[in-house]
Amino acid sequence: MATYSNIFIDQGSDFAMTVDLTQSVGTLSLTGYTARGQIKKTYASSTKVDFTVGVDTANTELDISLSSTQTGGMKAGRYVYDIEIVSSSSHVTRVLEGQVEVTPRVTTG
């Protein structure tokens, strides 16, 4: 079962966070795994924003990020997201999920 965690993103700013998976997946080695994640307005939305997700096999961590261009293109408000890891044999495990709150920006350009 995935860990539930809400995240807050400043509209128009770069976003980065590190997720330590040792509590979620235990002693699983992430060698050979890839990871992916998306943000959507609702679970059924066809419009999405893709996280860039790097796998740190040495520390059992995921490095998740969005560019300022990506967050600048999102309207302020509440979204949903999840992060999945995918084994070399294509086994998918959702490790993190929750809501995203995009806070509005004042300064532009």
Side-chain angles (χ1 to χ4, degrees):
M1 180 171 196
T3 299
Y4 192 90
S5 180
N6 294 334
I7 57 178
F8 297 87
I9 297 173
D10 295 326
Q11 185 183 47
S13 296
D14 291 316
F15 170 80
M17 68 183 261
T18 299
V19 178
D20 181 353
L21 294 181
T22 54
Q23 291 182 350
S24 297
V25 297
T27 58
L28 173 70
S29 169
L30 292 178
T31 300
Y33 277 77
T34 59
R36 61 191 182 199
Q38 295 179 341
I39 299 172
K40 293 182 176 184
K41 191 64 177 167
T42 68
Y43 292 101
S45 295
S46 59
T47 304
K48 62 181 174 56
V49 176
D50 291 315
F51 284 107
T52 298
V53 185
V55 178
D56 179 347
T57 57
N59 297 309
T60 316
E61 294 176 341
L62 300 178
D63 296 313
I64 300 166
S65 63
L66 297 167
S67 70
S68 59
T69 302
Q70 287 175 296
T71 65
M74 297 172 71
K75 293 181 179 180
R78 191 165 292 157
Y79 296 77
V80 292
Y81 81 99
D82 65 15
I83 305 293
E84 300 173 333
I85 56 174
V86 183
S87 73
S88 57
S89 61
S90 300
H91 179 79
V92 178
T93 304
R94 185 182 329 150
V95 293
L96 191 62
E97 64 182 321
Q99 293 184 348
V100 172
E101 182 73 30
V102 177
T103 58
R105 74 190 299 179
V106 175
T107 304
T108 59

